[in-house]
Amino acid sequence: MQRLKAGDRSPEFSLPDQNNDPCSIKQFSGRKVLVYFYPKAMTPGCTVQAQGLRDSQAELDKHNVIVLGISPDPVKRLPKFIERDNLNFTLLSDEDHAVADQFGVWGPKKFMGREFDGIHRISFLVDENGVIEHVFDKFKTKDHHQVVLDYLNQ
């Protein structure tokens, strides 16, 4: 797992969104994009993380930041997550984890003594020109939005 770092060019990708429409990072050229990877929709940690970003939308807008949440969930699961939690940003389905592989966030994990491959909870702030400006990899799910905002406000 070779994770991308600040200064690297973001992979150009297109994934189906919660409406099964193609969504490409290129369509947000000229804006910053927070690409955040999360393991599974509607689980406790992912819910808290998504709600924090939802509640921070106005401040993220001030910084010209679009939020894209990416998980290996099937498309059909995403609208349920958006509706249940009133999410105000786009969720993308990366079922074959190809985009997660490109960013270097798919790999071995341990949970309750079990080892398996999965998504590592890491976020990338991609600048207006498609270059990774910052990588967020040290945060608790409940603080993720604040870590991002603290970075943007500095």
Side-chain angles (χ1 to χ4, degrees), residues 23-46:
C23 180
S24 165
I25 193 163
K26 284 167 93 171
Q27 52 188 97
F28 304 107
S29 182
R31 297 195 65 185
K32 291 186 182 207
V33 180
L34 180 67
V35 179
Y36 92 95
F37 290 90
Y38 65 98
K40 189 171 184 178
M42 296 188 280
T43 55
C46 295

Side-chain angles (χ1 to χ4, degrees), residues 20-131:
N20 207 21
D21 294 326
C23 180
S24 165
I25 193 163
K26 284 167 93 171
Q27 52 188 97
F28 304 107
S29 182
R31 297 195 65 185
K32 291 186 182 207
V33 180
L34 180 67
V35 179
Y36 92 95
F37 290 90
Y38 65 98
K40 189 171 184 178
M42 296 188 280
T43 55
C46 295
T47 296
V48 168
Q49 184 178 16
Q51 289 171 342
L53 290 168
R54 173 199 67 198
D55 297 344
S56 302
Q57 190 65 51
E59 198 161 350
L60 290 167
D61 286 346
K62 288 179 195 171
H63 292 283
N64 200 28
V65 175
I66 295 287
V67 175
L68 297 177
I70 300 177
S71 74
D73 290 304
V75 170
K76 67 180 183 185
R77 189 171 172 89
L78 303 179
K80 295 173 189 169
F81 191 25
I82 286 179
E83 187 178 320
R84 188 192 76 175
D85 293 286
N86 291 320
L87 301 182
N88 50 11
F89 52 86
T90 301
L91 297 179
L92 303 175
S93 173
D94 187 22
E95 279 191 88
D96 63 0
H97 58 83
V99 173
D101 283 334
Q102 289 179 301
F103 276 86
V105 299
W106 182 268
K109 296 173 71 167
K110 279 187 181 181
F111 183 68
M112 296 179 73
R114 197 174 68 106
E115 283 194 37
F116 58 96
D117 280 348
I119 282 201
H120 290 253
R121 195 183 298 275
I122 298 171
S123 298
F124 300 83
L125 184 64
V126 179
D127 73 12
E128 298 85 349
N129 301 308
V131 175

